[in-house]
Amino acid sequence: MDMVENFRINALRVIQTELHVLINLGDHNQRFIEDNGGYRNFELLAAPKHSQTLSKAISEVKSLTQMAETLFGDLNCVHINHAISSLRWWTEGHGQKWSDLKSRSVALRNAIDNELKEYLYYQYPKFKGQKLGSHETDWKLQSPLSQRSRSMQ
């Protein structure tokens, strides 16, 4: 179980790092587009550099959303699931804009941050965990009902 938990922590760090990169990428490229004529500058949008950068971003978003689904799927959290779907939608060729990449990446980052604050995690030492497993037996021996039943015998 330790390895699974460590994997989840590492996967969370990767997701957070990748979201940070996508947010910065979206912001930088949106500013570049705006400074060079906006989305009406078809020459800029058709340039190989723009197409390659967009293709790499789409690939990265697909990979990131798959990893996020794997990591957070068991939480059944509507906010995170919606943010993942929203970010994935950006990859489906609906006239991708860099500002949309940024805002959808921020939405996923915020959903993860806010939702994980609702969960409490603590790893107890093994002997305490084993003690927790024996609580039914301990309570049964100490409960007033079990003491009365012993005194009646």
Side-chain angles (χ1 to χ4, degrees):
M1 181 147 171
D2 290 338
M3 291 178 67
V4 172
E5 296 306 318
N6 288 338
F7 166 74
R8 289 182 181 199
I9 291 169
N10 289 335
L12 177 59
R13 286 185 186 140
V14 168
I15 289 170
Q16 289 173 324
T17 300
E18 292 300 320
L19 284 170
H20 180 73
V21 169
L22 289 173
I23 291 166
N24 288 332
L25 178 73
D27 184 56
H28 174 80
N29 288 339
Q30 180 63 29
R31 289 177 195 218
F32 181 81
I33 296 283
E34 289 170 355
D35 292 345
N36 290 283
Y39 285 95
R40 294 183 182 175
N41 182 346
F42 300 111
E43 187 178 312
L44 174 65
L45 298 178
K49 177 83 171 165
H50 181 263
S51 298
Q52 290 170 355
T53 304
L54 185 60
S55 178
K56 287 178 183 177
I58 289 170
S59 177
E60 185 58 38
V61 168
K62 286 179 179 179
S63 174
L64 175 74
T65 55
Q66 180 62 45
M67 186 185 307
E69 279 183 334
T70 301
L71 183 63
F72 299 114
D74 291 340
L75 293 179
N76 294 320
C77 176
V78 175
H79 297 110
I80 293 175
N81 292 346
H82 177 72
I84 291 169
S85 296
S86 177
L87 183 56
R88 184 182 308 103
W89 182 87
W90 182 83
T91 68
E92 296 172 0
H94 305 285
Q96 292 102 339
K97 291 187 176 179
W98 293 106
S99 59
D100 291 337
L101 173 62
K102 178 185 175 185
S103 63
R104 291 168 192 272
S105 297
V106 167
L108 178 54
R109 180 198 63 194
N110 292 347
I112 291 168
D113 288 348
N114 291 331
E115 292 300 324
L116 289 185
K117 287 178 185 173
E118 298 294 319
Y119 294 90
L120 301 175
Y121 295 99
Y122 180 77
Q123 185 172 352
Y124 287 91
K126 190 172 185 172
F127 73 92
K128 288 186 178 182
Q130 290 169 336
K131 183 71 174 163
L132 242 153
S134 68
H135 78 280
E136 289 179 359
T137 307
D138 293 347
W139 278 92
K140 190 175 184 179
L141 294 175
Q142 296 175 9
S143 74
L145 292 175
S146 65
Q147 289 175 356
R148 265 194 265 161
S149 65
R150 275 191 245 145
S151 64
M152 295 178 155
Q153 292 175 353

